[in-house]
């Protein structure tokens, strides 16, 4: 069993930045895929970003491209999400997800492709 713990959420003004981190328990692996998803009040959970552990290939939701950057540390078994130029519509609970499967680009955004999920961290963008 893998446990994921997110940190770094909080309240930030529009245009500001936050960095989310997610740490996984257990032995570090160079295979598999990390993902970040978010769920705003009254909305379905949606894909935000993902990255493959072996080659670091990322995938992003169109609305966050150029503003968010996902990165991973295979030694520490962690994944980060650097969020810049935040907008009120980025307000949501952000969830870290992990799987031992190395997904192709088109599959990285599917929730059902991930086996483990964190408890979520709240990000609020408001003035």
């Amino acid at each position: 069993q893998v446990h994921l713990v997110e940190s770094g959420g909080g309240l930030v003004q529009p245009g500001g930045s936050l960095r989310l981190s997610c740490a996984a328990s257990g032995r570090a692996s160079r295979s598999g895929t990390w993902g970040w998803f978010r769920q705003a009040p009254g909305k379905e959970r949606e894909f935000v970003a993902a990255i493959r552990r072996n080659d670091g290939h990322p995938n992003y939701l169109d609305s966050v491209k150029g503003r968010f950057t996902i990165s991973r540390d295979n030694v520490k078994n962690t994944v980060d999400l650097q969020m810049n130029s935040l907008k009120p519509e980025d307000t949501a609970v952000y969830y870290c997800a992990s799987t031992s499967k190395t997904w192709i680009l088109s599959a990285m955004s599917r929730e059902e492709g991930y086996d483990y999920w964190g408890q979520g961290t709240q990000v609020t963008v408001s003035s």
Side-chain angles (χ1 to χ4, degrees):
Q1 185 74 8
V2 175
H3 293 282
L4 304 179
V5 179
E6 302 102 334
S7 61
L11 172 65
V12 64
Q13 292 186 342
S17 298
L18 279 176
R19 188 177 184 89
L20 304 183
S21 295
C22 176
S25 64
R27 187 172 57 189
S29 172
R30 292 185 180 275
S31 64
T33 307
W34 290 101
W36 284 99
F37 292 76
R38 67 187 181 188
Q39 187 167 22
K43 294 187 176 181
E44 297 285 323
R45 187 158 61 183
E46 67 174 352
F47 167 76
V48 177
I51 190 168
R52 293 196 296 235
R53 287 190 178 86
N54 59 349
D55 60 7
H57 189 90
N59 189 17
Y60 295 98
L61 176 69
D62 283 347
S63 63
V64 308
K65 284 180 180 176
R67 300 189 298 122
F68 291 12
T69 302
I70 188 170
S71 60
R72 91 278 189 237
D73 187 320
N74 290 339
V75 175
K76 295 180 179 179
N77 211 10
T78 59
V79 63
D80 290 348
L81 185 68
Q82 177 66 42
M83 305 185 295
N84 299 327
S85 302
L86 282 160
K87 305 175 181 180
E89 51 263 43
D90 294 318
T91 295
V93 176
Y94 283 71
Y95 297 91
C96 171
S98 177
T99 177
S100 60
K101 302 176 182 66
T102 300
W103 291 120
I104 60 174
L105 191 66
S106 61
M108 291 166 78
S109 60
R110 295 179 353 202
E111 284 191 46
E112 60 269 27
Y114 294 86
D115 303 306
Y116 304 103
W117 293 81
Q119 80 288 351
T121 185
Q122 177 70 47
V123 171
T124 303
V125 185
S126 174
S127 54

